[in-house]
Amino acid sequence: MKYIDDALLMRPCNVGLCIDERVYLREMRRFKIKSPSPFVIPGMAATMHWLDDTTGVGESVAIVCVDMERMRGTDGIQLACMLVHECVHIFQNICKHWGEEAPSAEFEAYAIQRLSQQLMYMFCELRPELRITV
């Protein structure tokens, strides 16, 4: 389980990446979530979980969970695209949290780029053997 540094100028949430269901469940216990959502939505390879003040966490947290078994056989491009997809959901929740109904296209693009980049770096830290270099 890893959390990124500030992803946006005034980041309203912590953003984490988890590739192990046991670690996810341990994190949910740490947050005192009695009935956590499944690690990933059944049939999917990844899920973004948003925990906000109403969950009792005390802060907003976005956790992207990746089921590495379901990712077996996929390539780096597929993984990268999946992480970008989950970052769009993070961005959507950040906008909702801020009450932002119409973010500028450029703000949206830069925010998703930054979130995606950080998640990809975190993934490489968690699974260095899968690091892609050009």
Side-chain angles (χ1 to χ4, degrees):
M1 179 84 199
K2 295 210 40 99
Y3 284 94
I4 64 173
D5 294 330
D6 287 341
L8 301 172
L9 292 176
M10 293 178 57
R11 182 174 44 105
C13 65
N14 286 311
V15 178
L17 174 66
C18 188
I19 60 172
D20 183 316
E21 184 172 11
R22 293 170 303 179
V23 174
Y24 166 73
L25 293 172
R26 185 171 55 233
E27 193 72 352
M28 293 299 102
R29 282 192 300 276
R30 184 176 79 82
F31 286 135
K32 296 178 176 47
I33 305 293
K34 294 183 191 316
S35 298
S37 300
F39 177 60
V40 296
I41 295 170
M44 306 304 283
T47 299
M48 188 280 299
H49 301 277
W50 181 264
L51 307 171
D52 59 24
D53 298 341
T54 62
T55 61
V57 174
E59 61 187 337
S60 294
V61 179
I63 300 175
V64 173
C65 294
V66 178
D67 183 344
M68 294 307 295
E69 270 306 303
R70 291 197 56 91
M71 291 303 297
R72 190 177 305 278
T74 60
D75 61 33
I77 292 172
Q78 290 168 311
L79 172 66
C81 290
M82 183 200 57
L83 291 175
V84 171
H85 173 101
E86 298 305 327
C87 286
V88 169
H89 292 309
I90 294 170
F91 180 77
Q92 291 166 339
N93 277 279
I94 288 171
C95 287
K96 183 178 176 184
H97 178 84
W98 277 339
E100 177 61 61
E101 295 178 11
S104 74
E106 202 63 14
F107 173 63
E108 181 177 7
Y110 274 119
I112 292 169
Q113 176 185 347
R114 176 74 172 143
L115 288 164
S116 299
Q117 176 181 311
Q118 290 298 316
L119 280 183
M120 288 178 205
Y121 279 135
M122 279 196 302
F123 185 87
C124 290
E125 287 179 33
L126 291 170
R127 295 294 300 267
E129 73 278 11
L130 299 177
R131 185 172 182 90
I132 298 171
T133 56
V134 179

